[in-house]
Amino acid sequence: MEHFLLALLGFASGFIVAGGVVALMVGLGIITRFIGISHTAGHVMYYEDAILLGTIAGTIVTVFEVEFPVGVWILVLGGLFTGVFVGGWIMALAEVINVFPVYCRRLGITKGLSWIVISMAIGKTLGSLMLFYMRWGKG
């Protein structure tokens, strides 16, 4: 009985978290923005399928600790795609809450905003590459 209740609680919690993530994605307009930028509105069903399959695959890999015997380049490609997706989330969130216009107005920046954003992206990328190359955090 205890295992059943724990499973039910975990299942219900998963639904709540998934609902929150979907609400955030819809609220930020991430998926519609990606579709608009890529001019692929005719393939919305593929986006929905990819999101669902990615969620299921991510859950299985996380819960059951599945290992894939793939080469380094597949991992690099997966990391690149994951980074682009997370970067899209971050930029969408920053755009929705108007982070950049507020900072620029308060700091008196009138030109070069695109260079500032590019510099932040390059710095984040170099920092991540150093983290992985130096194996920091692997105590």
Side-chain angles (χ1 to χ4, degrees):
M1 183 67 173
E2 181 180 336
H3 291 288
F4 175 75
L5 290 176
L6 287 174
L8 185 64
L9 180 65
F11 195 67
S13 299
F15 265 108
I16 292 170
V17 170
V21 169
V22 170
L24 182 64
M25 289 174 71
V26 170
L28 294 178
I30 294 169
I31 304 302
T32 54
R33 174 141 329 173
F34 284 160
I35 291 171
I37 290 172
S38 63
H39 305 293
T40 55
H43 304 288
V44 172
M45 295 294 287
Y46 293 126
Y47 279 97
E48 292 173 358
D49 292 342
I51 291 168
L52 179 63
L53 292 174
T55 302
I56 292 170
T59 301
I60 290 171
V61 168
T62 302
V63 171
F64 297 110
E65 297 181 10
V66 178
E67 293 184 21
F68 296 103
V70 296
V72 163
W73 292 109
I74 298 296
L75 293 176
V76 168
L77 188 63
L80 179 67
F81 287 150
T82 303
V84 167
F85 184 73
V86 171
W89 272 62
I90 292 168
M91 291 307 294
L93 181 60
E95 186 176 321
V96 166
I97 60 174
N98 293 323
V99 169
F100 295 117
V102 170
Y103 277 132
C104 289
R105 186 173 55 248
R106 291 198 177 164
L107 295 174
I109 298 171
T110 57
K111 295 181 181 177
L113 179 60
S114 60
W115 288 105
I116 292 171
V117 172
I118 290 170
S119 299
M120 289 189 313
I122 290 171
K124 180 69 175 168
T125 302
L126 291 176
S128 296
L129 291 174
M130 285 179 61
L131 173 84
F132 295 127
Y133 181 75
M134 302 292 224
R135 297 190 184 274
W136 292 332
K138 295 280 183 185

